[in-house]
Amino acid sequence: MEDLHFLHILIQFVVFLFVLPCIFSCPDQQKQALLLFKDSLLSTTISPNSSIPLFSSLDSWNSTTDCCHWERVVCSSPDSRSRMVQGLNLYSLAWRITDDPLPLDGKALMPLFTIRSLMLLDLSSNYFEGQISGPGFGNLSKMVNLNLMSNKFSGSIPPQMYRLRYLQYLDMSSNLLDGALTSDVRFLRNLRVLKLDSNSLTGKFPEEIGDLKMLQKLFIRDNSFVGEIPLTIVNLKSLETLDMRDNKFTMGIPSDIGSLYNLTYLALSNNKLNGTIPTSLQHMEKLKQLELENNLLEGLVPIWLFNMKGLVDVLIGGNLMTWNNSIKSVKPKQMLSRLSLKSCGLIGEIPGWISSQKGLNFLDLRKNKLEGTFPLWLAEMALGSIILSDNKLSGSLPPRLFESLSLSVLDLSRNNFSGELPENIGNANAIMLLMLSGNNFSGEVPKSISNIHRLLLLDLSRNRLSGDTFPVFDPDAFLGYIDLSSNDFTGEIPTIFPQETRLLSLSNNRFSGSLPKNLTNWTLLEHLDLHNNNISGELPDFLSELPTLQILSLRNNSLKGPIPKSISKISNLHILDLSSNELVGEIPTEIGKLKGMIDTPSTYSSLSDTFFNIDIGFSDLIVNWKKTLLGLPTSPSLDIYSLLDLSGNHLSGEIPNSIGNLKGLKLLNLAYNNLSGNIPSSLGKLEKVETLDLSHNELSGSIPESLVNLHELTVLDVSNNKLTGRIPVGGQMTIMNNPSYYANNSGLCGIQIRQPCPEDQQPTEPAEPAEEEEKQQVFSWIGAGIGFPIGFVFAVLIIYMSGYFSPLVPHRCIVLKPRRRRP
Ligand SMILES: *[C@@H]1O[C@H](CO)[C@@H](O)[C@H](O)[C@H]1NC(C)=O
Ligand SMILES: *[C@@H]1O[C@H](CO)[C@@H](O)[C@H](O)[C@H]1NC(C)=O
Ligand SMILES: *[C@@H]1O[C@H](CO)[C@@H](O)[C@H](O)[C@H]1NC(C)=O
Ligand SMILES: *[C@@H]1O[C@H](CO)[C@@H](O)[C@H](O)[C@H]1NC(C)=O
Ligand SMILES: *[C@@H]1O[C@H](CO)[C@@H](O)[C@H](O)[C@H]1NC(C)=O
Ligand SMILES: *[C@@H]1O[C@H](CO)[C@@H](O)[C@H](O)[C@H]1NC(C)=O
Ligand SMILES: *[C@@H]1O[C@H](CO)[C@@H](O)[C@H](O)[C@H]1NC(C)=O
């Protein structure tokens, strides 16, 4: 990319030199088209703040001057008979102050499609929206170099694009394109570079790709292509780069792939390729980088890979391949730079031959069965990334490891390492990811750790670390993700972490004292997990000063006092767990204003599950989900959950009606409190709720009929209250038939608990109409519940087959599996 821009600038400069004795100026028609383009950009773009100079780089586009002198415009040389606009470098047009991209309307491009002399058009990084105009681009038949990267173009690739037969360079990566790449791709005979990365393209990859004999670089990473890699790919003899990572390719790697003699980079990681690594590969003398990770490749890891004299990156882990453990020594012909043998069944000590690889920068041996200690030779090699997680390594860490100034990723999670963390840990000040979770480290966190100013993520969870003072981080440091859970830390909640703190888990320790005001220094805080500690005091009003907070767990502490009304101001909060504390008072009505629980949970993921291709294994968020404590994985995202758990407190008064506004909730747990009054019928509006637990309160009245609208309900517990009357029938309510979830009330009845209601036991004559009524109720519900057949089928089963309330029906007939859905 940069190279290309540099080239453009160079071309512009050269052209500029020639232009000095300018005789011909640009054709008026083209000038008008460009001015029209500028106008339509301005008129179709609604600036959120009109004072921002949106397109300042187009200031030189002025009707009184020669358009060949304008910025970003390249004309043909003046010695040709007439000058024409040949190139437009229109990348990053809008001036943007926020990360939030200001979309530009793709229609603004219309005037450009009349400039038929265009050979180069760079529209990258503009967030143009809409479909790619087929007729428009089809007009630009002289196009050689077209760059549409990083826009928001959607829809499929229009057929006219394939007719741009002079195209040599086509970049449409990072858009929202879908649909298939068609066989018409064969018309792009002159194509040298094709980049389609990061779209949603699907279908089989056309075998006509083999006709593009000039193709040198093919990038289709991060799409959804399926089927096999076309065998014709081996016809692309000029190919130097082939990147097909992150697709859904199946079947084997073409066995002839080794005939691509000019290939230097072959990346097929993260597909579903099976079979073995083709032996023809060893003939690829120019191959430098081989990335085949995370497929279904099998067989023994071929040792000949290490005899290939150009190969420096061997990333083949995460397959079904195994390492021949009888091979004790490998002597690579070339100094390796990156090596991944993750989950290759390596046993014994970390292979000693790796020590000969003086140029090694990246080593990934995770998920093997390695034993023994951390070798000193490995500590002495200046690696950038060391990933040894999920092995059985033991002993203490050699302090020498932290004298490295190149180490940026260290992942030793889930081994048996022990001892104290070396005091000099902070000398390795290039570390960005430090993950030591799930070992047996003890002692205090070394003070020096706060010297690692590039640290982004620190995971020391599940060890035996202790102490009540922590190293103080520079408030401006980068550290954003901190997991110190499941250790033996004591003292007050530390607020010594930088302002960048987004995720902080201190759960399962022995922290005490009240919630510190300094929490509000973390203006980016999204996830705060303090469960299973001994935090006391009241829930402070200043929590409302954390508007970015999405997840707050204070489960199982000693918090007292009421739930503050101001809690509703934490507008992004979608998981709130205050259970097992000593909270008193009423549930504030304002809770119904929690915007994060009103909105439907999104599938947008804020925390990526991989940083630099490293799995992030933060401790799960423990919640009471469907009556059992369960860990929700923190990565890739907890955004899809929306939970409110206030159980196990001393809350009193009525359940506020407003709770029914929290339409995004998947779980509402108010059990084990002193709540009284009726169950508000507004709970029937919680259309996403799967678990509703109101047990162990003082609730009276009947169960509201509206609960039949809860189409996702799988657990309803109202036991141990003072409820009376008929349990509503219909929808999921019909299969809410666990008798213990209705036990210990003051007179509930209904088919679910095979307890006839008084009115059902009246003398025989009215029996039929009653049944009829019941049927109607069920059927009137059908229309609304098409997606939820189990409740319906079940209702019909009960009414037609079991004979309503017949004591003879064996219980197993009505045990139907509740719908299981991923939350
Ligand atoms: C165009 O350029 C001329 C001379 O540089 C200047 O006087 C004029 O104001 C400019 N017009 C606009 C619309 O910017
Ligand atoms: C193609 O170019 C001609 C002028 O050369 C123009 O009249 C026509 O509108 C263009 N087509 C599109 C779709 O822009
Ligand atoms: C392979 O690369 C060499 C050197 O870069 C080049 O001369 C040759 O033409 C290429 N072969 C093909 C088939 O493109
Ligand atoms: C952790 O280390 C201690 C000694 O420091 C040892 O007693 C204990 O067994 C170890 N735990 C595990 C799980 O290895
Ligand atoms: C709270 O933060 C301020 C800076 O905002 C700092 O000066 C003070 O020392 C902190 N207090 C504690 C107890 O950490
Ligand atoms: C509650 O937290 C304490 C530590 O404060 C812990 O010992 C106990 O097991 C926790 N209870 C549950 C149910 O997790
Ligand atoms: C009902 O109450 C009794 C007595 O308090 C208790 O033993 C029993 O476990 C309760 N049943 C259920 C299902 O909660």
Side-chain angles (χ1 to χ4, degrees):
M1 209 42 240
E2 271 78 17
D3 285 352
L4 211 74
H5 283 158
F6 177 69
L7 195 69
H8 297 167
I9 290 164
L10 199 73
I11 292 172
Q12 245 177 326
F13 180 64
V14 171
V15 169
F16 178 73
L17 286 184
F18 282 103
V19 154
L20 284 176
C22 173
I23 319 150
F24 308 101
S25 56
C26 84
D28 192 54
Q29 177 266 331
Q30 300 196 333
K31 181 195 226 169
Q32 294 312 323
L34 291 174
L35 288 170
L36 202 55
F37 167 68
K38 181 180 173 181
D39 279 353
S40 50
L41 265 190
L42 291 169
S43 63
T44 57
T45 309
I46 304 129
S47 165
N49 175 353
S50 52
S51 66
I52 303 166
L54 267 178
F55 304 105
S56 53
S57 67
L58 300 185
D59 284 351
S60 63
W61 291 28
N62 176 329
S63 60
T64 62
T65 52
D66 176 3
C67 80
C68 290
H69 289 175
W70 295 350
E71 264 184 78
R72 294 169 174 266
V73 178
V74 182
C75 289
S76 56
S77 57
D79 48 58
S80 60
R81 301 199 54 165
S82 64
R83 298 198 72 188
M84 291 285 180
V85 174
Q86 280 187 336
L88 291 172
N89 289 305
L90 303 177
Y91 51 88
S92 305
L93 283 173
W95 169 265
R96 294 190 172 84
I97 26 167
T98 58
D99 288 347
D100 218 9
L102 172 70
L104 302 181
D105 190 339
K107 290 200 188 74
L109 297 172
M110 292 299 280
L112 298 183
F113 300 135
T114 62
I115 308 180
R116 305 181 77 148
S117 54
L118 272 181
M119 296 169 74
L120 179 153
L121 179 58
D122 184 350
L123 293 169
S124 60
S125 306
N126 279 317
Y127 301 98
F128 276 115
E129 289 183 324
Q131 307 235 343
I132 293 182
S133 163
F137 283 98
N139 234 3
L140 306 178
S141 58
K142 299 209 167 79
M143 193 61 67
V144 173
N145 184 326
L146 179 58
N147 192 344
L148 304 179
M149 183 190 83
S150 294
N151 281 290
K152 292 168 104 183
F153 287 119
S154 52
S156 52
I157 301 173
Q160 293 91 336
M161 295 292 275
Y162 300 111
R163 302 286 169 165
L164 301 175
R165 60 203 176 99
Y166 298 113
L167 264 189
Q168 293 185 14
Y169 180 98
L170 177 59
D171 188 348
M172 302 199 279
S173 53
S174 301
N175 278 287
L176 306 170
L177 298 172
D178 52 28
L181 193 64
T182 73
S183 59
D184 284 354
V185 75
R186 68 184 183 277
F187 298 123
L188 299 172
R189 293 251 158 119
N190 288 301
L191 213 54
R192 270 113 169 124
V193 178
L194 178 57
K195 293 190 181 186
L196 299 171
D197 290 345
S198 302
N199 281 290
S200 304
L201 298 168
T202 55
K204 288 188 148 195
F205 199 74
E207 57 185 45
E208 287 76 7
I209 192 76
D211 294 356
L212 308 188
K213 298 282 193 286
M214 313 285 256
L215 202 62
Q216 292 167 351
K217 294 181 196 300
L218 177 59
F219 298 88
I220 58 167
R221 183 182 182 177
D222 192 12
N223 279 290
S224 299
F225 287 114
V226 298
E228 63 182 327
I229 297 176
L231 299 179
T232 53
I233 206 116
V234 303
N235 299 339
L236 303 176
K237 300 295 182 210
S238 309
L239 209 58
E240 291 161 11
T241 300
L242 179 58
D243 185 354
M244 303 183 122
R245 284 175 291 170
D246 304 291
N247 276 290
K248 294 174 180 161
F249 286 113
T250 50
M251 316 287 273
I253 301 173
S255 60
D256 267 352
I257 195 132
S259 65
L260 296 175
Y261 300 118
N262 269 0
L263 208 64
T264 58
Y265 180 68
L266 175 59
L268 305 174
S269 299
N270 304 319
N271 279 290
K272 292 173 182 160
L273 299 167
N274 58 22
T276 55
I277 299 183
T279 51
S280 70
L281 211 94
Q282 53 193 311
H283 303 126
M284 300 171 94
E285 297 198 339
K286 295 186 181 168
L287 194 65
K288 285 196 175 115
Q289 291 159 317
L290 178 64
E291 303 191 8
L292 303 177
E293 288 191 284
N294 307 324
N295 278 292
L296 302 168
L297 299 170
E298 47 196 16
L300 287 178
V301 173
I303 295 301
W304 49 255
L305 281 177
F306 299 97
N307 293 332
M308 292 176 66
K309 67 177 170 39
L311 201 58
V312 294
D313 287 351
V314 182
L315 305 181
I316 55 177
N319 281 291
L320 306 173
M321 280 188 289
T322 48
W323 181 259
N324 182 350
N325 281 293
S326 64
I327 292 175
K328 290 291 170 251
S329 181
V330 177
K331 293 195 187 70
K333 281 244 170 69
Q334 171 81 32
M335 282 298 172
L336 295 176
S337 168
R338 297 194 292 160
L339 176 64
S340 159
L341 293 174
K342 80 171 166 190
S343 50
C344 282
L346 291 170
I347 57 173
E349 305 213 319
I350 296 177
W353 60 265
I354 293 173
S355 66
S356 68
Q357 299 305 298
K358 302 298 181 208
L360 198 64
N361 177 46
F362 175 94
L363 178 64
D364 183 355
L365 300 177
R366 82 185 97 157
K367 297 185 179 162
N368 280 295
K369 299 192 177 84
L370 296 168
E371 295 169 350
T373 57
F374 194 105
L376 191 58
W377 58 257
L378 185 56
E380 285 168 349
M381 289 173 77
L383 270 92
S385 302
I386 301 177
I387 303 162
L388 298 172
S389 49
D390 296 293
N391 279 291
K392 295 183 200 160
L393 298 163
S394 55
S396 55
L397 296 185
R400 176 67 182 81
L401 178 61
F402 299 101
E403 295 304 324
S404 166
L405 298 181
S406 47
L407 193 62
S408 65
V409 174
L410 181 63
D411 183 2
L412 305 177
S413 306
R414 296 172 298 280
N415 277 285
N416 282 330
F417 287 114
S418 57
E420 302 204 348
L421 297 177
E423 276 305 324
N424 67 338
I425 198 163
N427 290 0
N429 63 17
I431 299 186
M432 297 164 100
L433 309 183
L434 181 58
M435 296 186 278
L436 304 176
S437 165
N439 282 287
N440 197 6
F441 290 116
S442 53
E444 299 202 350
V445 179
K447 293 280 169 287
S448 72
I449 207 165
S450 60
N451 297 342
I452 311 179
H453 59 268
R454 288 174 62 186
L455 198 60
L456 299 174
L457 185 154
L458 176 64
D459 184 359
L460 301 177
S461 63
R462 285 172 283 155
N463 279 290
R464 297 190 302 125
L465 296 164
S466 56
D468 60 359
T469 49
F470 288 84
V472 179
F473 283 82
D474 178 350
D476 296 325
F478 298 124
L479 184 58
Y481 301 91
I482 305 142
D483 189 351
L484 302 181
S485 62
S486 302
N487 278 289
D488 203 19
F489 293 118
T490 50
E492 307 235 313
I493 302 285
T495 53
I496 45 70
F497 301 109
Q499 274 162 9
E500 192 66 25
T501 303
R502 289 158 196 262
L503 180 151
L504 178 63
S505 177
L506 302 175
S507 62
N508 280 312
N509 279 288
R510 291 191 288 138
F511 288 110
S512 55
S514 52
L515 290 169
K517 173 87 168 99
N518 268 12
L519 285 176
T520 57
N521 288 351
W522 296 325
T523 52
L524 302 172
L525 191 64
E526 291 174 8
H527 180 141
L528 181 62
D529 185 357
L530 301 175
H531 83 266
N532 289 8
N533 278 289
N534 196 18
I535 299 163
S536 54
E538 300 203 353
L539 273 175
D541 262 326
F542 61 68
L543 284 178
S544 64
E545 291 167 39
L546 292 168
T548 54
L549 198 61
Q550 298 179 18
I551 296 163
L552 176 62
S553 177
L554 293 166
R555 146 188 299 275
N556 190 19
N557 278 286
S558 308
L559 292 162
K560 298 182 179 58
I563 299 174
K565 292 189 171 77
S566 57
I567 201 143
S568 65
K569 293 189 190 145
I570 315 180
S571 58
N572 287 308
L573 200 60
H574 59 88
I575 297 184
L576 175 61
D577 189 347
L578 302 176
S579 62
S580 303
N581 279 286
E582 293 152 36
L583 299 171
V584 296
E586 300 198 354
I587 300 174
T589 333
E590 286 76 4
I591 209 152
K593 294 188 194 153
L594 274 169
K595 189 163 176 308
M597 299 186 186
I598 295 173
D599 298 341
T600 303
S602 73
T603 48
Y604 169 78
S605 138
S606 50
L607 174 65
S608 162
D609 56 343
T610 56
F611 270 85
F612 312 110
N613 204 15
I614 314 295
D615 314 306
I616 301 301
F618 282 126
S619 300
D620 292 353
L621 182 75
I622 306 294
V623 297
N624 188 341
W625 178 254
K626 307 202 173 164
K627 313 292 282 185
T628 42
L629 284 184
L630 179 92
L632 301 182
T634 303
S635 59
S637 171
L638 282 170
D639 290 0
I640 54 170
Y641 303 95
S642 184
L643 322 172
L644 177 60
D645 191 344
L646 305 177
S647 64
N649 282 289
H650 310 301
L651 298 169
S652 56
E654 299 198 2
I655 299 175
N657 259 319
S658 63
I659 281 198
N661 297 340
L662 303 177
K663 291 203 173 62
L665 281 185
K666 287 184 182 288
L667 174 146
L668 175 62
N669 190 347
L670 303 176
Y672 292 95
N673 277 294
N674 304 323
L675 298 167
S676 55
N678 291 338
I679 299 176
S681 70
S682 66
L683 295 191
K685 293 192 288 177
L686 299 175
E687 53 199 33
K688 292 277 184 313
V689 91
E690 295 181 38
T691 304
L692 183 56
D693 192 347
L694 306 174
S695 64
H696 296 271
N697 278 292
E698 310 277 322
L699 298 167
S700 54
S702 56
I703 300 175
E705 206 52 48
S706 63
L707 297 197
V708 303
N709 298 323
L710 304 180
H711 297 325
E712 314 255 325
L713 196 63
T714 53
V715 175
L716 172 71
D717 190 347
V718 293
S719 67
N720 298 286
N721 278 293
K722 296 175 176 164
L723 298 167
T724 54
R726 183 191 291 272
I727 301 167
V729 179
Q732 293 294 105
M733 276 308 294
T734 311
I735 55 165
M736 295 297 116
N737 62 350
N738 184 334
S740 63
Y741 291 168
Y742 295 104
N744 293 339
N745 273 293
S746 313
L748 283 174
C749 61
I751 54 171
Q752 292 92 337
I753 51 174
R754 10 202 81 254
Q755 176 67 50
C757 294
E759 57 270 33
D760 299 321
Q761 291 170 321
Q762 279 161 12
T764 46
E765 281 148 51
E768 276 221 283
E771 204 170 321
E772 201 60 44
E773 198 177 293
E774 195 65 40
K775 269 190 250 173
Q776 269 178 5
Q777 192 184 343
V778 171
F779 280 103
S780 67
W781 170 82
I782 299 177
I786 285 167
F788 307 91
I790 291 175
F792 168 64
V793 168
F794 180 69
V796 173
L797 266 183
I798 288 212
I799 292 160
Y800 286 97
M801 292 173 64
S802 72
Y804 194 15
F805 297 133
S806 158
L808 297 175
V809 181
H811 190 70
R812 66 192 149 80
C813 286
I814 54 169
V815 179
L816 278 178
K817 264 187 157 175
R819 268 157 44 76
R820 285 206 52 202
R821 283 192 118 224
R822 280 207 46 172

